[in-house]
Amino acid sequence: MSTPVTPTAGTAQGGQSTPAGNPRGRVVVASLIGTSIEFYDFYIYATAASLVFPALFFPNAADPTTQLLSSFAVFGVAFVARPVGSVLFGHFGDRVGRKATLVASLLTMGIATILIGLIPAASTPGWAVAAPAVLVLCRFAQGLGLGGEWSGAALLATENAPQGKRAIYGTFPQLGAPIGFILANTVFISLSTALSPEQFADWGWRIPFLASAVLVIVGLWVRLSLLETPAFRKVVEAEAVAKVPVARVFRTSWKQIVSGTFIMLATYALFYLMTTFTLNYGIASTAPTDGSPAGLGYEKIDFLWMLIIGVVFFGIFTLVSGPMAEKFGRRAHLIWVTVAIVLFGGLFVPLFSAGHIGVQTLLILGFTLMGLTFGPMAAVLPELFPANVRYTGSAVAYNLSSVLGAAVAPFIAVWLWAKADGSPVLVGIYLSAMAVITLVALLLERETRDVAYDDNVTA
């Protein structure tokens, strides 16, 4: 993998290069299906971490709250691995090319997900220690894969986009997040409905993990048919490939890494509070007797359907965000959305207290804001970096933000929830605080809509 393959590019009117053999529809499908698969893998773990893994892999914990916190701690391992994956896959993405690296990241995460479906429970003789240890290793591998996946998919879409449509094309890999979420949770709902609780806890939860093998094969088939992006071909033609991309990007673009990290912070905090925290708060007993904090008392299946309804709005407004970011600019669009997230944190208590309609309204509002803030990120973060370190730079910023905004968010939310005696008030304040930090980062950053995207390299 030392010499990138450089297929001949065609030339559009005005001298703009076009992707030889890369039809627009194939680019959209390849960027969308890959992230859909990756997020499917990621979300089935997130759902299992809330519903199954606490008792399955941590049966010796002192109480249910400790089991849940232990499960979320392993959930956070992937976020620690993601910056490592961003450096590893970013290196090859900037040295060898986007296509080969995307294939490798998909395989890494897919194999790890399948293996999770094969781990014996901790109650199996001889697996009391080994089961959670193997789970941690697989979770780390999932994080490595996702650490390289997002940036590559974002570049696949935006580096193949026509002039003035990068943010629009960039929404397609972002759309993989709501699609993966809906697919993963629909599978879990179907299994929970078809199987008894005992069957689901015993073996049914494994099916979504093992089924990932089919999705990975489909994703590989689509991606292997692609050619390299025009921007990377230009880097090769200019003999500007970085020998050590991570060293160069930290030397020349460290300010952009810091800026991109904090620009994504509110997005990550919002998403993982809206998915993992709301699920646990929604299905927790209104009058627990085991010392755990009180919740809303919904049935698990009922609340998952409520989440899925909310995520539909996530998908719709992800697509809406692209044209908005093109028309108004990335910076202006995100500033107003982030202000809305700050205000949204203050609605946790009144909406969670307003019955079924209030809770569903909160989920719809939260996921609508999620689509509006997440959608433009596939254009915003790559636009901060020169083409020859773009994969590494955008991946590092994206995944460092995942550590600060997502790895600790479920853990902190559970702690704040318990600290406030079952009230979500502190969780809402926490979200608002993360959004304020993002707002400051956006105010300090320049607009990136009109940057030279294909032709800029760093020495």
Side-chain angles (χ1 to χ4, degrees):
M1 296 178 68
S2 59
T3 304
V5 177
T6 310
T8 302
T11 302
Q13 291 181 351
Q16 184 179 356
S17 63
T18 60
N22 269 349
R24 181 178 302 179
R26 185 179 299 171
V27 170
V28 170
V29 172
S31 60
L32 171 62
I33 195 170
T35 50
S36 297
I37 293 168
E38 300 285 354
F39 279 103
Y40 166 83
D41 289 350
F42 215 63
Y43 296 152
I44 58 175
Y45 186 96
T47 304
S50 297
L51 304 179
V52 178
F53 288 175
L56 191 70
F57 291 110
F58 308 99
N60 298 322
D63 54 61
T65 299
T66 305
Q67 288 181 343
L68 183 60
L69 290 174
S70 298
S71 182
F72 278 153
V74 178
F75 180 75
V77 167
F79 294 100
V80 177
R82 283 170 68 162
V84 180
S86 69
V87 172
L88 175 64
F89 289 103
H91 175 84
F92 291 107
D94 284 325
R95 287 280 299 159
V96 179
R98 314 325 191 194
K99 173 186 170 179
T101 306
L102 275 169
V103 170
S105 68
L106 183 64
L107 279 173
T108 300
M109 184 144 178
I111 291 172
T113 303
I114 294 166
L115 290 177
I116 288 175
L118 299 174
I119 302 174
S123 59
T124 304
W127 284 87
V129 175
V134 174
L135 181 65
V136 169
L137 289 175
C138 289
R139 186 65 179 151
F140 188 86
Q142 276 192 319
L144 284 179
L146 192 55
E149 163 63 26
W150 177 85
S151 187
L155 299 194
L156 174 64
T158 59
E159 290 185 347
N160 281 294
Q163 185 74 21
K165 293 187 177 181
R166 280 198 302 271
I168 295 173
Y169 269 54
T171 60
F172 289 105
Q174 305 300 78
L175 191 60
I179 289 175
F181 180 92
I182 291 172
L183 180 59
N185 283 282
T186 301
V187 169
F188 264 105
I189 288 172
S190 301
L191 291 171
S192 298
T193 302
L195 303 176
S196 68
E198 293 76 18
Q199 290 173 321
F200 181 78
D202 185 35
W203 55 268
W205 66 270
R206 300 180 184 275
I207 294 175
F209 291 90
L210 299 177
S212 178
V214 177
L215 300 176
V216 170
I217 291 171
V218 174
L220 289 174
W221 176 74
V222 174
R223 286 186 170 179
L224 286 170
S225 66
L226 292 171
L227 298 177
E228 195 50 78
T229 69
F232 184 74
R233 291 201 296 264
K234 287 188 176 183
V235 170
V236 175
E237 292 165 2
E239 298 183 350
V241 175
K243 291 184 179 180
V244 186
V246 66
R248 182 174 293 186
V249 76
F250 274 101
R251 175 171 57 85
T252 62
S253 304
W254 66 269
K255 291 181 180 179
Q256 289 88 336
I257 290 176
V258 174
S259 178
T261 297
F262 288 109
I263 284 173
M264 273 292 300
L265 188 65
T267 304
Y268 266 122
L270 175 63
F271 180 72
Y272 283 94
L273 291 180
M274 292 306 300
T275 52
T276 57
F277 170 72
T278 59
L279 177 59
N280 283 283
Y281 183 64
I283 67 176
S285 172
T286 56
T289 58
D290 55 9
S292 58
L296 299 177
Y298 283 87
E299 292 295 325
K300 175 182 64 179
I301 301 301
D302 293 339
F303 200 83
L304 283 175
W305 278 120
M306 292 173 70
L307 279 174
I308 288 173
I309 291 171
V311 173
V312 169
F313 286 83
F314 178 13
I316 292 171
F317 282 91
T318 294
L319 293 176
V320 169
S321 71
M324 291 178 68
E326 290 293 355
K327 181 177 180 179
F328 301 111
R330 287 73 156 125
R331 182 174 177 269
H333 170 82
L334 288 173
I335 284 174
W336 285 110
V337 175
T338 305
V339 169
I341 296 172
V342 174
L343 299 176
F344 175 69
L347 298 179
F348 269 41
V349 171
L351 288 180
F352 271 131
S353 303
H356 181 89
I357 293 177
V359 175
Q360 187 67 76
T361 299
L362 180 137
L363 294 174
I364 290 173
L365 286 176
F367 281 114
T368 294
L369 292 172
M370 183 64 208
L372 291 173
T373 184
F374 186 61
M377 290 299 175
V380 172
L381 296 190
E383 286 171 352
L384 293 173
F385 300 94
N388 58 339
V389 292
R390 183 174 292 146
Y391 201 126
T392 302
S394 57
V396 168
Y398 182 83
N399 290 293
L400 283 178
S401 187
S402 77
V403 175
L404 299 177
V408 297
F411 191 91
I412 291 176
V414 170
W415 182 78
L416 292 173
W417 172 28
K419 193 77 172 176
D421 297 323
S423 170
V425 59
L426 295 180
V427 179
I429 293 173
Y430 168 66
L431 173 61
S432 295
M434 296 298 100
V436 168
I437 295 173
T438 287
L439 186 60
V440 172
L442 286 167
L443 291 171
L444 294 175
E445 187 52 71
R446 73 191 193 283
E447 174 58 53
T448 60
R449 177 175 53 184
D450 299 319
V451 298
Y453 198 62
D454 287 352
D455 299 318
N456 63 328
V457 296
T458 182

